[in-house]
Amino acid sequence: MSLAAIVTRLVGLWILTGGLLKLFMGSPADLPQVLQDLPMDTALVFKLAISGELLVGLLAVLRPSRGWLPVKIVTLAFLVVLVTQIVGGEENCGCFGAAVTISPMVMLIIDAVAFLALVLVKPWKLERDKGELPWAPTALVILGSLVLPWVIDNQ
């Protein structure tokens, strides 16, 4: 397995962990203020955010040759949100729901390192390897994960 595949999977696991912690121990109140201010129902934004994190995290873990770009985009989005939190003076990023309290500055450093690692290992050069799950089971796992936030009620 290449370094690019390993880094992509690790960053995917990081995103997946955040999504799962929010799913099982979080609530819409844990969302960053910038997301709570969207002109949508906060519960809907919360479920969409979790669905997105689960989708991107699983894709990166199961198919890094295809998951690297969504992981990079999500990590960049996290960086933007974290900067707005730092500017707004928030003390907890809400990245892991209510389960873990981490300052936006600490999370910005962690996510910036993850983003830079993705740039440095050049995952766009990845080709499908034997460690990747075939598309059919990958699609089933991802579909199942997309349904979870809508089935599990954590309001």
Short mmCIF file of all heavy atoms in Angstrom, two decimals, residues 120-151:
data_model
loop_
_atom_site.label_atom_id
_atom_site.label_comp_id
_atom_site.label_asym_id
_atom_site.label_seq_id
_atom_site.Cartn_x
_atom_site.Cartn_y
_atom_site.Cartn_z
N LEU A 120 1.05 16.81 -0.07
CA LEU A 120 2.43 16.34 -0.22
C LEU A 120 2.54 14.92 -0.77
O LEU A 120 3.48 14.61 -1.49
CB LEU A 120 3.17 16.44 1.12
CG LEU A 120 3.43 17.86 1.61
CD1 LEU A 120 4.04 17.83 3.01
CD2 LEU A 120 4.32 18.61 0.65
N VAL A 121 1.60 14.04 -0.44
CA VAL A 121 1.70 12.65 -0.90
C VAL A 121 1.12 12.43 -2.29
O VAL A 121 1.20 11.34 -2.83
CB VAL A 121 1.07 11.65 0.11
CG1 VAL A 121 1.77 11.72 1.44
CG2 VAL A 121 -0.43 11.87 0.25
N LYS A 122 0.55 13.48 -2.87
CA LYS A 122 0.03 13.45 -4.25
C LYS A 122 -0.93 12.27 -4.50
O LYS A 122 -0.69 11.43 -5.36
CB LYS A 122 1.17 13.40 -5.25
CG LYS A 122 2.12 14.56 -5.13
CD LYS A 122 3.28 14.43 -6.07
CE LYS A 122 4.24 15.57 -5.81
NZ LYS A 122 5.46 15.48 -6.57
N PRO A 123 -2.05 12.23 -3.78
CA PRO A 123 -2.96 11.10 -3.94
C PRO A 123 -3.63 11.04 -5.31
O PRO A 123 -4.17 10.00 -5.68
CB PRO A 123 -4.00 11.33 -2.83
CG PRO A 123 -3.93 12.79 -2.55
CD PRO A 123 -2.52 13.19 -2.80
N TRP A 124 -3.57 12.13 -6.08
CA TRP A 124 -4.16 12.11 -7.42
C TRP A 124 -3.43 11.13 -8.33
O TRP A 124 -3.92 10.78 -9.39
CB TRP A 124 -4.19 13.51 -8.03
CG TRP A 124 -2.88 14.24 -7.96
CD1 TRP A 124 -1.88 14.20 -8.87
CD2 TRP A 124 -2.45 15.09 -6.91
NE1 TRP A 124 -0.84 14.98 -8.46
CE2 TRP A 124 -1.15 15.54 -7.25
CE3 TRP A 124 -3.00 15.52 -5.71
CZ2 TRP A 124 -0.42 16.41 -6.44
CZ3 TRP A 124 -2.28 16.38 -4.91
CH2 TRP A 124 -1.01 16.81 -5.28
N LYS A 125 -2.26 10.68 -7.91
CA LYS A 125 -1.51 9.69 -8.69
C LYS A 125 -1.86 8.26 -8.30
O LYS A 125 -1.33 7.31 -8.87
CB LYS A 125 -0.01 9.91 -8.52
CG LYS A 125 0.46 11.23 -9.11
CD LYS A 125 1.95 11.37 -9.00
CE LYS A 125 2.42 12.65 -9.68
NZ LYS A 125 3.86 12.80 -9.64
N LEU A 126 -2.75 8.11 -7.32
CA LEU A 126 -3.14 6.78 -6.86
C LEU A 126 -3.88 6.01 -7.94
O LEU A 126 -4.72 6.56 -8.64
CB LEU A 126 -4.08 6.88 -5.65
CG LEU A 126 -3.46 6.98 -4.28
CD1 LEU A 126 -4.56 7.21 -3.24
CD2 LEU A 126 -2.67 5.76 -3.93
N GLU A 127 -3.58 4.76 -8.02
CA GLU A 127 -4.34 3.86 -8.87
C GLU A 127 -5.00 2.84 -7.96
O GLU A 127 -4.53 2.57 -6.86
CB GLU A 127 -3.43 3.18 -9.88
CG GLU A 127 -2.86 4.15 -10.89
CD GLU A 127 -2.06 3.44 -11.97
OE1 GLU A 127 -2.24 2.23 -12.16
OE2 GLU A 127 -1.25 4.13 -12.61
N ARG A 128 -6.09 2.26 -8.42
CA ARG A 128 -6.78 1.26 -7.61
C ARG A 128 -5.82 0.12 -7.31
O ARG A 128 -5.14 -0.38 -8.19
CB ARG A 128 -8.00 0.74 -8.37
CG ARG A 128 -8.82 -0.20 -7.52
CD ARG A 128 -10.08 -0.64 -8.26
NE ARG A 128 -10.87 -1.49 -7.40
CZ ARG A 128 -10.66 -2.78 -7.23
NH1 ARG A 128 -9.70 -3.39 -7.87
NH2 ARG A 128 -11.42 -3.49 -6.41
N ASP A 129 -5.79 -0.27 -6.02
CA ASP A 129 -4.93 -1.39 -5.66
C ASP A 129 -5.77 -2.52 -5.07
O ASP A 129 -6.98 -2.40 -4.91
CB ASP A 129 -3.80 -0.97 -4.71
CG ASP A 129 -4.30 -0.47 -3.37
OD1 ASP A 129 -5.39 -0.87 -2.93
OD2 ASP A 129 -3.59 0.33 -2.74
N LYS A 130 -5.11 -3.60 -4.73
CA LYS A 130 -5.81 -4.78 -4.22
C LYS A 130 -6.44 -4.54 -2.86
O LYS A 130 -7.33 -5.27 -2.45
CB LYS A 130 -4.84 -5.96 -4.15
CG LYS A 130 -4.38 -6.39 -5.51
CD LYS A 130 -3.33 -7.48 -5.40
CE LYS A 130 -2.80 -7.77 -6.81
NZ LYS A 130 -1.59 -8.53 -6.79
N GLY A 131 -5.99 -3.52 -2.15
CA GLY A 131 -6.54 -3.21 -0.83
C GLY A 131 -7.86 -2.48 -0.87
O GLY A 131 -8.49 -2.27 0.16
N GLU A 132 -8.29 -2.07 -2.05
CA GLU A 132 -9.54 -1.33 -2.16
C GLU A 132 -10.72 -2.28 -2.32
O GLU A 132 -10.63 -3.29 -3.02
CB GLU A 132 -9.51 -0.37 -3.36
CG GLU A 132 -8.57 0.78 -3.15
CD GLU A 132 -8.73 1.87 -4.19
OE1 GLU A 132 -9.53 1.72 -5.13
OE2 GLU A 132 -8.02 2.88 -4.07
N LEU A 133 -11.79 -1.94 -1.67
CA LEU A 133 -13.01 -2.72 -1.76
C LEU A 133 -13.64 -2.51 -3.13
O LEU A 133 -13.64 -1.38 -3.65
CB LEU A 133 -13.98 -2.26 -0.65
CG LEU A 133 -15.10 -3.18 -0.25
CD1 LEU A 133 -14.55 -4.49 0.30
CD2 LEU A 133 -15.96 -2.51 0.81
N PRO A 134 -14.19 -3.55 -3.76
CA PRO A 134 -14.87 -3.36 -5.05
C PRO A 134 -16.05 -2.39 -4.90
O PRO A 134 -16.57 -2.17 -3.81
CB PRO A 134 -15.35 -4.77 -5.41
CG PRO A 134 -14.48 -5.69 -4.63
CD PRO A 134 -14.11 -4.95 -3.37
N TRP A 135 -16.51 -1.86 -6.02
CA TRP A 135 -17.54 -0.83 -5.98
C TRP A 135 -18.86 -1.29 -5.39
O TRP A 135 -19.52 -0.54 -4.67
CB TRP A 135 -17.79 -0.25 -7.39
CG TRP A 135 -16.88 0.89 -7.68
CD1 TRP A 135 -15.90 0.93 -8.63
CD2 TRP A 135 -16.81 2.14 -7.00
NE1 TRP A 135 -15.23 2.13 -8.58
CE2 TRP A 135 -15.78 2.90 -7.59
CE3 TRP A 135 -17.51 2.71 -5.93
CZ2 TRP A 135 -15.44 4.18 -7.17
CZ3 TRP A 135 -17.16 3.99 -5.52
CH2 TRP A 135 -16.15 4.71 -6.14
N ALA A 136 -19.32 -2.49 -5.70
CA ALA A 136 -20.64 -2.94 -5.21
C ALA A 136 -20.70 -2.94 -3.68
O ALA A 136 -21.60 -2.31 -3.10
CB ALA A 136 -20.99 -4.30 -5.78
N PRO A 137 -19.77 -3.60 -2.98
CA PRO A 137 -19.84 -3.53 -1.52
C PRO A 137 -19.58 -2.13 -0.98
O PRO A 137 -20.16 -1.72 0.02
CB PRO A 137 -18.78 -4.50 -1.03
CG PRO A 137 -18.13 -5.10 -2.21
CD PRO A 137 -18.77 -4.55 -3.44
N THR A 138 -18.72 -1.37 -1.66
CA THR A 138 -18.47 0.01 -1.23
C THR A 138 -19.76 0.81 -1.29
O THR A 138 -20.10 1.54 -0.34
CB THR A 138 -17.41 0.68 -2.13
OG1 THR A 138 -16.19 -0.04 -2.03
CG2 THR A 138 -17.17 2.13 -1.74
N ALA A 139 -20.49 0.68 -2.37
CA ALA A 139 -21.76 1.40 -2.54
C ALA A 139 -22.76 0.99 -1.46
O ALA A 139 -23.47 1.85 -0.91
CB ALA A 139 -22.33 1.14 -3.92
N LEU A 140 -22.83 -0.27 -1.12
CA LEU A 140 -23.76 -0.73 -0.09
C LEU A 140 -23.40 -0.15 1.28
O LEU A 140 -24.28 0.29 2.03
CB LEU A 140 -23.79 -2.26 -0.02
CG LEU A 140 -24.48 -2.96 -1.18
CD1 LEU A 140 -24.32 -4.48 -1.07
CD2 LEU A 140 -25.97 -2.60 -1.20
N VAL A 141 -22.12 -0.16 1.61
CA VAL A 141 -21.67 0.39 2.90
C VAL A 141 -21.97 1.89 2.96
O VAL A 141 -22.48 2.39 3.96
CB VAL A 141 -20.17 0.12 3.12
CG1 VAL A 141 -19.63 0.89 4.31
CG2 VAL A 141 -19.92 -1.37 3.30
N ILE A 142 -21.68 2.59 1.89
CA ILE A 142 -21.89 4.03 1.86
C ILE A 142 -23.39 4.35 1.92
O ILE A 142 -23.82 5.24 2.66
CB ILE A 142 -21.22 4.67 0.63
CG1 ILE A 142 -19.70 4.67 0.85
CG2 ILE A 142 -21.73 6.08 0.38
CD1 ILE A 142 -18.89 5.12 -0.33
N LEU A 143 -24.20 3.60 1.19
CA LEU A 143 -25.65 3.81 1.23
C LEU A 143 -26.17 3.60 2.65
O LEU A 143 -26.97 4.40 3.15
CB LEU A 143 -26.35 2.86 0.26
CG LEU A 143 -27.86 2.99 0.17
CD1 LEU A 143 -28.25 4.38 -0.32
CD2 LEU A 143 -28.43 1.93 -0.77
N GLY A 144 -25.70 2.55 3.30
CA GLY A 144 -26.10 2.30 4.68
C GLY A 144 -25.71 3.45 5.60
O GLY A 144 -26.48 3.86 6.47
N SER A 145 -24.52 3.98 5.40
CA SER A 145 -24.07 5.08 6.25
C SER A 145 -24.86 6.36 6.00
O SER A 145 -25.06 7.17 6.91
CB SER A 145 -22.58 5.35 6.05
OG SER A 145 -22.34 5.99 4.82
N LEU A 146 -25.32 6.56 4.77
CA LEU A 146 -26.10 7.75 4.46
C LEU A 146 -27.48 7.71 5.13
O LEU A 146 -28.05 8.74 5.44
CB LEU A 146 -26.26 7.90 2.95
CG LEU A 146 -24.99 8.29 2.19
CD1 LEU A 146 -25.25 8.28 0.69
CD2 LEU A 146 -24.46 9.62 2.64
N VAL A 147 -27.98 6.51 5.36
CA VAL A 147 -29.29 6.35 5.96
C VAL A 147 -29.23 6.55 7.49
O VAL A 147 -30.19 7.01 8.09
CB VAL A 147 -29.85 4.94 5.61
CG1 VAL A 147 -31.12 4.64 6.38
CG2 VAL A 147 -30.10 4.84 4.11
N LEU A 148 -28.10 6.21 8.10
CA LEU A 148 -27.97 6.26 9.55
C LEU A 148 -28.43 7.58 10.19
O LEU A 148 -29.21 7.54 11.15
CB LEU A 148 -26.53 5.97 9.98
CG LEU A 148 -26.14 4.51 10.08
CD1 LEU A 148 -24.66 4.39 10.47
CD2 LEU A 148 -27.00 3.77 11.07
N PRO A 149 -27.97 8.73 9.73
CA PRO A 149 -28.40 9.97 10.40
C PRO A 149 -29.91 10.21 10.33
O PRO A 149 -30.45 10.95 11.14
CB PRO A 149 -27.65 11.07 9.63
CG PRO A 149 -26.50 10.38 9.00
CD PRO A 149 -26.97 8.99 8.71
N TRP A 150 -30.57 9.61 9.38
CA TRP A 150 -32.00 9.80 9.23
C TRP A 150 -32.79 8.80 10.08
O TRP A 150 -33.95 9.02 10.37
CB TRP A 150 -32.40 9.71 7.76
CG TRP A 150 -31.54 10.64 6.94
CD1 TRP A 150 -30.41 10.34 6.28
CD2 TRP A 150 -31.71 12.05 6.79
NE1 TRP A 150 -29.86 11.46 5.70
CE2 TRP A 150 -30.65 12.53 5.99
CE3 TRP A 150 -32.67 12.96 7.23
CZ2 TRP A 150 -30.51 13.86 5.63
CZ3 TRP A 150 -32.53 14.29 6.87
CH2 TRP A 150 -31.46 14.73 6.08
N VAL A 151 -32.12 7.70 10.45
CA VAL A 151 -32.77 6.66 11.25
C VAL A 151 -32.53 6.89 12.74
O VAL A 151 -33.42 6.69 13.57
CB VAL A 151 -32.24 5.26 10.83
CG1 VAL A 151 -32.78 4.18 11.74
CG2 VAL A 151 -32.61 4.98 9.39
#
